[in-house]
Amino acid sequence: MTATASTANHAPFGFAPVPTQDADFLRQLSFVPGLKELLTVRQVHALEHATVWVLSEMAGGLVDGGMGDRLGGMSTETGFYIYGAVDTEQLRRAAQTALHRMVGGEWDLAVHPRCGTNLSVGILLTAGLLMGAQLVLPKDPLGQILGLGLAATAAASIAPDAGQIAQRYLTTAIPFNLAILSVENQGDRWGQPTHFVRVTWVD
């Protein structure tokens, strides 16, 4: 798989992002505590993914085995961290390019195969299928082992698609309301290369 996310934006449930959707939602439900922070983190999460895609493209690498595989990230309501060796100016250009491309319609950049959402969805699916197998299959040891194998196999085959759907509709949102303030070269407590891309919410 190349580092470029698919530019054919898929909307399996017929949903397409609208630039004012989060701002309108926030205006209608501004009394809900923590809502703005939640909406911001979803947009920041999408920008983090898109920035990693763009960095991989800049490096001419692949997602598997390329720059995208050497970087980690974490999103907050004020911006996102990029862990790994990357040039500060290159990261600044990648973040701005990613924001421009996503707002311009490249929504698939919000979804990344190495996102922790995929792992979480896989764990939940496995646990749910295991519980279901225990209820419907015989209680003897052979039946339980069979149920374990079936549940693990089914979860492994479903998890990648389910994880992408969860990213697209739950854990990310197109960053229509974000502006990049700065890119800061920081080091973590172990001296590992760390950058923080600081953002702000704009209506």
Side-chain angles (χ1 to χ4, degrees), residues 122-138:
I123 291 170
L124 288 173
L125 278 172
T126 303
L129 290 171
L130 277 174
M131 290 172 54
Q134 286 184 342
L135 293 174
V136 297
L137 291 176

Side-chain angles (χ1 to χ4, degrees), residues 19 22 36 39-48 75-80 96 99-100 102-103 173-181 197-203:
D22 282 356
K36 184 174 183 180
L39 295 175
T40 303
V41 168
R42 291 178 70 229
Q43 292 194 22
V44 171
H45 192 194
L47 182 57
E48 174 202 325
S75 297
T76 74
E77 70 270 15
T78 59
F80 62 92
Q96 291 288 1
L99 180 60
H100 177 75
M102 291 187 78
V103 171
I174 305 306
F176 292 119
N177 300 103
L178 295 187
I180 297 170
L181 293 177
V197 180
R198 192 173 300 279
V199 302
T200 189
W201 178 277
V202 290
D203 290 318

